[in-house]
Amino acid sequence: MLRRRLGGPSGPLVSALCLGAMPFGTTVDEKTSFAILDRFVEAGGSLVDTADNYAFWAPGGTGDESENTVGRWLASRRRDEVVISTKVGARPTVPGSGLETAEGLSAPVIRKAAEDSLRRLGTDHIDLYWTHIEDRTVPLEETLGALDELVGGGKVAVLGCSNHAGWRIERARALARTNGWTAYTCVQQRYSYLQPRFDVGLPESGHVHATSELLDHVRSEPDLTLLAYSSLLSGAYTRPDKTLSAAYDHPGTGQRLTVLREVAAELGATANQVVLSWLLGGDPPVIPIVGVSSVEQLDEVLAAVELELPRETRARLDLAGRG
């Protein structure tokens, strides 16, 4: 499988596709989760993304399920076969509640959450550790200092931030450089081929979409890597039962979908494969996080790595729906 560096030329080498483990242990049972993980690694995949709150919103969920499932699977593998990505900050502190009671990013929370994630994952280190949401009630210095302690102690290797405003990302990176701390070198935002209206916003709680400004920033920063979640919009490109949110209700959506379907037919590919190829080969290149619920779905997205979009085709996709 195609490989990418996380966080610049000195970062770890990972697969160009990242497997999202959000539903593992809740809506995807353990046997199926293990089969998906096994197939991903067999195909050359190495980057697996989870969080300390997946999936608290599922019936009976607590937030432990995904990390626990990945941890039990890891116990049967060589640890150096995979790069584990997990997150801190968005775990509810009140059972049954949502992000309004999120644990946040204070130093005590980060230290405890990291230990809890290490225990659930059954490992002694986290390869990529994310601040899952912003917490503006805590000084950046406190958050970044605690993260740097984890890196210094060998418990975390690479740092990333998810669902952060662009200006906060750069402020945090500048502050880390000033203090000699480990900086964020990965950003994880919602991003796909279809583009939302930013005046409407996305209903999914806490989701922040990658803007053209952020893409330009990543393009200009050699040590910054962008990962895209919801890259396939939860199946909306191919499943008629999946509806798009109001943020995508604008003329550009229909125009882009028309061109996407034309390109897929011309290339003998699925719409999902074209979207992933578009992300992988874009400027800047993006590492898509793909969530699947079966090995068959995984095989479809794995084929996207081998799909190369001709320059003229990519230009058609890029220009579709632009006024």
Side-chain angles (χ1 to χ4, degrees), residues 238-263:
T238 56
R239 291 177 53 181
D241 60 314
K242 295 286 187 177
T243 57
L244 294 166
S245 70
Y248 297 97
D249 185 12
H250 60 83
T253 293
Q255 294 167 26
R256 282 175 90 82
L257 284 174
T258 295
V259 173
L260 174 64
R261 288 163 183 159
E262 290 173 354
V263 168

Side-chain angles (χ1 to χ4, degrees), residues 18 22 49-54 85-91 99 102 104-105 128-136 140 143-144 147 158-170 172-173 183-191 204-210 214 224-230 287 289:
C18 175
M22 179 187 290
D49 182 72
T50 182
D52 72 347
N53 70 337
Y54 290 164
S85 158
T86 194
K87 310 178 190 74
V88 59
R91 184 181 176 95
L99 290 181
L105 298 174
L128 174 52
Y129 201 41
W130 304 88
T131 48
H132 202 166
I133 57 174
E134 286 191 30
D135 181 1
R136 299 190 186 182
L140 270 174
T143 297
L144 298 173
L147 292 169
V158 177
L159 296 176
C161 56
S162 181
N163 297 311
H164 284 46
W167 67 270
R168 291 275 292 183
I169 296 169
E170 181 49 32
R173 280 166 53 83
Y184 292 136
T185 52
C186 292
V187 180
Q188 185 179 148
Q189 308 285 66
R190 183 184 173 110
Y191 186 56
E204 296 86 356
S205 180
H207 287 199
V208 175
H209 197 278
L214 177 64
L224 203 53
T225 303
L226 178 61
L227 282 75
Y229 70 83
S230 294
I287 296 178
I289 301 171

Side-chain angles (χ1 to χ4, degrees), residues 2-276:
L2 181 68
R3 292 286 191 266
R4 294 274 165 77
R5 290 282 178 188
L6 282 180
S10 63
L13 194 64
V14 299
S15 55
L17 284 179
C18 175
L19 180 62
M22 179 187 290
F24 293 175
T26 49
T27 56
V28 177
D29 63 48
E30 186 160 304
K31 180 180 179 181
T32 305
S33 299
F34 281 21
I36 292 169
L37 286 158
D38 285 341
R39 174 70 183 116
F40 182 65
V41 172
E42 288 164 7
S46 62
L47 182 57
V48 177
D49 182 72
T50 182
D52 72 347
N53 70 337
Y54 290 164
F56 73 84
W57 55 87
T62 64
D64 291 355
E65 289 81 8
S66 178
E67 286 188 333
N68 277 335
T69 302
V70 172
R72 285 191 287 270
W73 173 80
L74 266 180
S76 66
R77 312 289 307 197
R78 286 199 349 256
R79 177 63 178 85
D80 61 0
E81 287 184 295
V82 287
V83 174
I84 297 297
S85 158
T86 194
K87 310 178 190 74
V88 59
R91 184 181 176 95
T93 57
V94 177
S97 65
L99 290 181
E100 68 275 6
T101 68
E103 60 193 349
L105 298 174
S106 69
V109 162
I110 289 171
R111 294 185 189 110
K112 182 180 185 303
E115 294 296 339
D116 289 345
S117 288
L118 289 167
R119 173 178 48 78
R120 285 189 289 266
L121 291 165
T123 185
D124 63 354
H125 69 283
I126 296 165
D127 300 295
L128 174 52
Y129 201 41
W130 304 88
T131 48
H132 202 166
I133 57 174
E134 286 191 30
D135 181 1
R136 299 190 186 182
T137 70
V138 174
L140 270 174
E141 291 86 349
E142 180 177 343
T143 297
L144 298 173
L147 292 169
D148 187 67
E149 288 177 12
L150 293 176
V151 175
K155 295 179 179 179
V156 169
V158 177
L159 296 176
C161 56
S162 181
N163 297 311
H164 284 46
W167 67 270
R168 291 275 292 183
I169 296 169
E170 181 49 32
R171 179 171 291 184
R173 280 166 53 83
L175 185 60
R177 288 192 294 266
T178 297
N179 287 280
W181 296 334
T182 306
Y184 292 136
T185 52
C186 292
V187 180
Q188 185 179 148
Q189 308 285 66
R190 183 184 173 110
Y191 186 56
S192 187
Y193 176 61
L194 292 185
Q195 301 295 294
R197 288 175 53 189
F198 291 100
D199 60 324
V200 173
L202 295 162
E204 296 86 356
S205 180
H207 287 199
V208 175
H209 197 278
T211 62
S212 58
E213 182 181 20
L214 177 64
L215 295 175
D216 186 52
H217 182 61
V218 171
R219 195 178 293 119
S220 67
E221 296 288 318
D223 70 331
L224 203 53
T225 303
L226 178 61
L227 282 75
Y229 70 83
S230 294
S231 56
L232 296 178
L233 300 180
S234 301
Y237 287 111
T238 56
R239 291 177 53 181
D241 60 314
K242 295 286 187 177
T243 57
L244 294 166
S245 70
Y248 297 97
D249 185 12
H250 60 83
T253 293
Q255 294 167 26
R256 282 175 90 82
L257 284 174
T258 295
V259 173
L260 174 64
R261 288 163 183 159
E262 290 173 354
V263 168
E266 291 166 9
L267 298 178
T270 68
N272 285 338
Q273 289 166 348
V274 174
V275 169
L276 293 173

